[in-house]
Amino acid sequence: HPHELLTTNADILAGFSSKGPTPYDFRIKPDVTAPGVNVLSSVFTRNAAGTYTPSYAFFQGTSMATPHTAGAAALLLAAHPGWSPEQVKSALVNNADRTVTGTSGLGPLARGGGRINVERAMNAAATFDPASVSFGGFTGGKLVFSSVDVTVTSEWTSSQTCSVSLTAGSSAWLGFVGVSSTSFTLGAGGAATVTVTFDGGQTAASGLYWGDVKFTCDGGTFLAPWFAGIQRSNGFLNGNQNSPASYFDPSYYGDPSLLVAGVWTG
């Protein structure tokens, strides 16, 4: 019989978890995280008679986190059969729990929106398209500017008012991000668009910048991660590698004194 073992080390990011940004277009990766370590799953065991019997074993990997997320999406569609893929994705991303640790200062490039919370996602009072704000990657000495339009759709049957604010991994980064509106009202099933901008000019130095666009509505609080990458000289963003882990490792890149709060400053 299968047994369940509960430990205190929940929500610690696994070493094998895939980190962002995406190669080439430098978007936030992953969208969300889900349980993927020591997951009790079904297997088939071949017995001496040559037939197969059900059995169980513990597994780990993205192959475990993926079915958790797919199952969560199936539950959301069962509760909201009319939801589009974008609405399902938003419900998972923008209502995830920010309890993930071990992200090494990478924020959404390690945990995405966070660890999925199906109950919160099920009761989402608003959905967002896109669910996260990826400004992209910028190289060289050119001016840095990008904007993303986020469409907010009410999932309520009555009107609600939302306010918009910004957070960042470092308070110094808040001077680079802005929103077109700090408050708006959604009618029942209505929509509104908020433009989020990253304006680093030539002032913003090399580094990975990230935070949240925080929507505080009558129906709840929703977090949409934002990210921008800047590289003024040769290095990581030119390489299009899948994970920035070595970018933050002083043994790979020069003087460790340049590593400040998880971001290379030079």
Side-chain angles (χ1 to χ4, degrees):
H1 298 286
H3 298 279
E4 183 175 344
L5 177 65
L6 298 179
T7 68
T8 57
N9 37 327
D11 287 333
I12 300 174
L13 192 71
F16 56 74
S17 186
S18 182
K19 301 178 181 64
T22 60
Y24 310 116
D25 59 357
F26 304 107
R27 294 180 177 272
I28 290 175
K29 171 190 176 181
D31 290 315
V32 290
T33 60
V37 175
N38 290 340
V39 177
L40 189 65
S41 184
S42 58
V43 295
F44 285 93
T45 302
R46 187 176 183 180
N47 56 34
T51 59
Y52 292 89
T53 57
S55 185
Y56 299 88
F58 284 97
F59 295 92
Q60 43 269 323
T62 54
S63 294
M64 293 293 101
T66 298
H68 273 93
T69 309
L75 290 173
L76 292 180
L77 285 172
H80 303 279
W83 269 7
S84 67
E86 290 76 18
Q87 286 171 296
V88 172
K89 178 177 179 178
S90 169
L92 290 173
V93 172
N94 303 126
N95 293 279
D97 286 337
R98 293 300 178 79
T99 51
V100 182
T101 61
T103 58
S104 302
L106 293 175
L109 298 183
R111 50 134 168 93
R115 194 253 301 131
I116 57 174
N117 183 323
V118 179
E119 183 178 9
R120 277 178 51 87
M122 193 84 71
N123 297 313
T127 52
F128 304 82
D129 187 16
S132 60
V133 179
S134 294
F135 294 113
F138 304 87
T139 58
K142 63 185 179 183
L143 295 173
V144 171
F145 180 85
S146 181
S147 65
V148 176
D149 292 335
V150 178
T151 300
V152 187
T153 302
S154 174
E155 305 297 338
W156 265 19
T157 56
S158 58
S159 64
Q160 60 177 318
T161 300
C162 300
S163 62
V164 188
S165 60
L166 293 160
T167 69
S170 169
S171 59
W173 304 344
L174 288 173
F176 300 129
V177 286
V179 292
S180 60
S181 175
T182 57
S183 66
F184 57 89
T185 299
L186 293 172
T193 299
V194 175
T195 302
V196 189
T197 58
F198 186 92
D199 187 356
Q202 288 181 314
T203 303
S206 296
L208 303 182
Y209 298 77
W210 50 267
D212 284 306
V213 186
K214 183 178 181 181
F215 295 87
T216 305
C217 304
D218 295 332
T221 299
F222 310 94
L223 299 176
W226 65 263
F227 159 72
I230 301 174
Q231 181 179 283
R232 295 301 187 184
S233 58
N234 292 332
F236 162 67
L237 293 181
N238 291 342
N240 295 315
Q241 64 190 58
N242 291 319
S243 170
S246 62
Y247 180 67
F248 292 93
D249 187 339
S251 67
Y252 284 89
Y253 287 87
D255 183 357
S257 67
L258 297 176
L259 184 61
V260 179
V263 173
W264 285 100
T265 59

